[in-house]
Amino acid sequence: MDKQNSISNYNHSISLTERKNLIISGVKKIDNFDDEQFLMDTVMSYLLVKGENLELIKLDTLQGTVVIKGLIHSMTYLEEGDKKNKESTIFNRLFK
């Protein structure tokens, strides 16, 4: 069984504790991240997490689990067109 199929068999869940510790399962890959936002592909859709002082604590690619620490402001699921707009915005912000 290849890695992509095994991850897609996992359930997708989000656990947020006191807006500071975020555990996400069912993550296929992290497209990009910095201390203010994470863009990741999950088995349900793309997920954009925004906050302050965000830090990747754990990335388990076999289990599809991501743990993020920091102050979480929002979590938004994106449609495919929204993802491309967000990526171009992130790219433009990096090279201003």
Side-chain angles (χ1 to χ4, degrees), residues 32-34 37 87-96:
N32 73 46
F33 68 96
D34 59 25
Q37 62 186 20
E87 284 181 338
S88 66
T89 303
I90 292 168
F91 185 74
N92 291 339
R93 190 177 68 178
L94 287 173
F95 294 101
K96 277 188 176 180

Side-chain angles (χ1 to χ4, degrees), residues 3-4 7-8 10 12 24-33 38-49 56 58-66 68 80 83 87:
K3 185 176 128 183
Q4 194 68 13
I7 289 175
S8 62
Y10 289 119
H12 174 61
I24 305 169
S25 66
V27 176
K28 295 180 187 178
K29 66 178 179 175
I30 297 177
D31 279 359
N32 73 46
F33 68 96
F38 278 70
L39 179 63
M40 59 194 90
D41 187 10
T42 71
V43 294
M44 299 300 291
S45 178
Y46 274 87
L47 177 64
L48 178 65
V49 177
L56 181 63
K58 179 181 176 185
L59 172 61
D60 186 340
T61 56
L62 294 177
Q63 295 289 323
T65 304
V66 172
I68 300 170
E80 189 62 31
K83 176 195 165 269
E87 284 181 338

